[in-house]
Amino acid sequence: MKCLKNEIEFSVIIPVYNAREYLQECLESVIKQTYVDFELIIIDDGSTDGSGELCDDFAEIDDRIKVIHQKNQGLLNARKKGVNNARGKNVIFVDADDWINKNELEIIAKYFKNNDVDMIEFGLWKNYNNGFEVERVSDLKSGKYNRNDLWNAFDGCIDDKTCFVQPIFLSLCTKAIKTSIIRNALHKIDERIVIGEDACVTFALLHEISSMLVIQECLYHYRENNKSLLHDDNKDKENYNLFRKQLSMLQEEYQEPQDIKYMNYISLLEACLQEDDYVISKYIIPFIYNKKVVLFGKGVFSKFLQRICKSNDIKIKGVIDSEDIQRIGELDFDIVFIAITISSFVDKARNTLIEHGVHKNKIKYITIDMFNQL
C-alpha cells in the first residue's frame, strides 16, 4: 500500500507493550480501513513477547506503517513519541488490545470536512470475551460546541444526573484531534502519572480546543478482557496525588471559571479507582459494611470494589450484570451495589434490577451529592 502525499489526513498512533495476543486484530483493523489517507505510527515500548517483531512484519507489507522501538517508558511517553512523529493533520489513538470499525476514518474524515472543529468525540463498543457487547456514547447531546458552551454543558450534564455521568469519555481513543492541539496538551502532562493520564490529557484538551463535535456513532471497540488488576496501595495514593496536582495546575494555568466542577468530577472518578481511603471509605463502605452484598457490573470499577471489599472483610455474594441478571433470584443479599460509573447505565441497571424483583431500597449506587462534599 502506497502513501505518497507529504500531508495526510490522519496519523493513527498505537502504543504497544506486550500485547501480542490481540495485536494482529488491532493492526488489521487499521490497515483495512475504507479510507486510505493515513499513516500508522506504532510505538513499541520495550515489548518482550514478540509484539515488536509482529509490528515490523506489518511494516514490511504496508509502507504507511512506521515502527519506533524504544525501551519501556510508559503509555504517556509512547503517545508523545507518536505525536511528535506525526505527519497527519489529525491524530487518532488506538490501544493495542482494541480495534476500530473498518470505516472509522472515513466517517471521521467526512465530519471534519463538513464541520470546522478541533476535535471530534465519538462512541464505543465495550466488547467482552464471550461475545457480549455494550454500546456507550457521550451523555452530551450530539452537535458542535465552542469551548465556553462545552464547559456550560458539562456543568448542566453533571447537575442534571443523579449519579456519575460521562459528558465525554476520558479516554483518548474516542477522539479525533488536530495534531497541533494534542501535541500541546500531551506535553503539559507529568509522565509519572500512570493511572488517569488520559483524564489529565482530556482535561487539557478541553481548554486547548476552540470547538468540538460530539457524535453518537460508535466507532471504537474496547476489549474488556476481565483480567485482574494489580494494585500497590502506596503507589496508587502517590499517583492520585500527582493526578490531582496536575489537574489543579491545569486549572490554574487556563483559568477557565466554569471548569472547577468538572475537575472535581474527574478527580472523584479517579479516586474511586486509585485511593482506598478517599471516596471508597467515605461514601461506599458505610453502605455495605456488615451487609451481604451483590455487585451489579463486571468492569474496572467492579473489580476495584471487589478488592476493597476483600480487604475490609466484606462478603461479596455474587457479581452479575445484564447478561446474567436471572441469577439475582438465586443470591442471598441485603444490598445490590451498582458498580457502574456511567449515569445512563446506572439508571438502566436500577430499572432492570427492580424488574427482576429487587426492592428499590436494596439498590445502592454513588450519587452526585458527593461533589458538594469534596
Side-chain angles (χ1 to χ4, degrees):
M1 175 67 70
K2 296 291 183 182
C3 184
L4 302 176
K5 298 166 64 176
N6 289 325
E7 183 179 52
I8 54 181
E9 186 67 23
F10 294 110
S11 292
V12 180
I13 297 173
I14 304 180
V16 174
Y17 179 70
N18 290 346
R20 183 64 179 82
E21 181 179 1
Y22 303 114
L23 184 56
Q24 181 164 337
E25 182 179 11
C26 174
L27 297 179
E28 288 181 348
S29 77
V30 177
I31 66 173
K32 293 181 180 179
Q33 286 290 298
T34 56
Y35 187 89
V36 299
D37 186 17
F38 69 89
E39 65 175 352
L40 171 55
I41 302 175
I42 305 171
I43 310 300
D44 171 29
D45 194 36
S47 296
T48 58
D49 68 343
S51 293
E53 290 80 358
L54 179 60
C55 294
D56 290 336
D57 290 343
F58 269 81
E60 287 183 4
I61 62 174
D62 193 325
D63 66 358
R64 294 174 300 176
I65 300 176
K66 178 180 183 179
V67 182
I68 299 173
H69 300 281
Q70 65 178 30
K71 66 179 182 180
N72 181 246
Q73 299 182 60
L75 177 61
L76 192 56
N77 178 277
R79 283 179 170 161
K80 287 181 181 179
K81 182 69 66 68
V83 169
N84 286 341
N85 284 272
R87 295 186 298 118
K89 292 185 289 186
N90 306 293
V91 164
I92 289 176
F93 294 102
V94 182
D95 286 345
D97 54 351
D98 299 334
W99 72 98
I100 60 178
N101 282 9
K102 64 180 181 180
N103 59 349
E104 175 177 309
L105 299 185
E106 181 180 359
I107 291 172
I108 294 172
K110 289 179 180 178
Y111 277 113
F112 269 128
K113 181 178 179 180
N114 296 327
N115 298 272
D116 182 18
V117 293
D118 296 328
M119 185 167 78
I120 296 174
E121 165 81 3
F122 46 90
L124 61 83
W125 291 96
K126 189 170 184 179
N127 292 84
Y128 296 83
N129 287 341
N130 61 6
F132 188 68
E133 63 181 12
V134 178
E135 182 183 45
R136 293 190 171 181
V137 297
S138 168
D139 276 313
L140 283 186
K141 294 180 180 179
S142 299
K144 180 178 177 180
Y145 297 81
N146 64 38
R147 187 168 59 234
N148 287 335
D149 289 341
L150 203 56
W151 289 114
N152 290 331
F154 287 156
D155 282 356
C157 194
I158 292 171
D159 287 341
D160 288 344
K161 302 291 183 178
T162 58
C163 44
F164 278 164
V165 298
Q166 292 215 36
I168 66 169
F169 294 108
L170 300 180
S171 170
L172 293 179
C173 294
T174 61
K175 297 163 181 59
I177 314 152
K178 284 187 176 179
T179 302
S180 59
I181 291 177
I182 183 59
R183 187 173 289 142
N184 289 340
L186 275 171
H187 284 277
K188 294 177 182 292
I189 309 304
D190 190 333
E191 290 186 15
R192 294 175 296 171
I193 300 173
V194 295
I195 303 176
E197 62 269 55
D198 272 21
C200 287
V201 178
T202 296
F203 190 67
L205 279 172
L206 296 175
H207 292 90
E208 291 282 338
I209 61 174
S210 297
S211 57
M212 181 182 79
L213 182 71
V214 175
I215 65 174
Q216 300 293 315
E217 294 168 77
C218 292
L219 306 177
Y220 189 89
H221 291 265
Y222 168 79
R223 189 187 304 274
E224 174 56 64
N225 57 32
N226 291 320
K227 292 181 180 178
S228 297
L229 298 177
L230 299 178
H231 288 264
D232 180 313
D233 289 346
N234 290 329
K235 289 184 178 179
D236 283 353
K237 292 178 181 180
E238 179 182 352
N239 187 84
Y240 179 75
N241 289 335
L242 286 170
F243 171 85
R244 179 72 192 197
K245 181 180 180 181
Q246 178 73 80
L247 290 184
S248 296
M249 289 172 62
L250 291 170
Q251 202 267 341
E252 182 177 350
E253 174 184 349
Y254 290 112
Q255 296 183 335
E256 189 79 46
Q258 307 105 307
D259 70 357
I260 188 67
K261 186 181 295 184
Y262 191 59
M263 184 184 78
N264 285 338
Y265 154 76
I266 296 173
S267 295
L268 188 57
L269 280 179
E270 294 300 329
C272 282
L273 296 176
Q274 295 188 67
E275 192 170 359
D276 300 0
D277 296 332
Y278 184 52
V279 174
I280 299 299
S281 61
K282 187 172 183 180
Y283 297 105
I284 297 179
I285 296 300
F287 278 127
I288 62 180
Y289 194 70
N290 286 332
K291 299 288 195 307
K292 293 177 287 187
V293 180
V294 168
L295 296 181
F296 188 95
K298 297 181 180 179
V300 174
F301 188 34
S302 176
K303 293 173 186 175
F304 181 76
L305 283 177
Q306 291 172 54
R307 182 174 68 87
I308 299 303
C309 287
K310 183 177 181 180
S311 66
N312 284 275
D313 294 322
I314 295 172
K315 305 298 182 183
I316 300 296
K317 293 294 184 178
V319 181
I320 61 173
D321 60 13
S322 298
E323 188 180 13
D324 57 356
I325 183 64
Q326 68 278 358
R327 290 183 52 223
I328 193 68
E330 306 168 4
L331 301 173
D332 178 28
F333 60 88
D334 301 312
I335 286 174
V336 178
F337 192 91
I338 300 177
I340 303 173
T341 58
I342 300 177
S343 176
S344 57
F345 279 73
V346 173
D347 294 340
K348 291 178 182 178
R350 185 174 181 274
N351 291 335
T352 299
L353 288 166
I354 292 172
E355 289 171 3
H356 283 78
V358 180
H359 193 280
K360 63 181 181 180
N361 291 340
K362 289 189 173 184
I363 302 173
K364 303 295 181 183
Y365 53 90
I366 302 173
T367 69
I368 204 66
D369 293 340
M370 293 180 185
F371 295 126
N372 298 325
Q373 302 179 47
L374 287 173

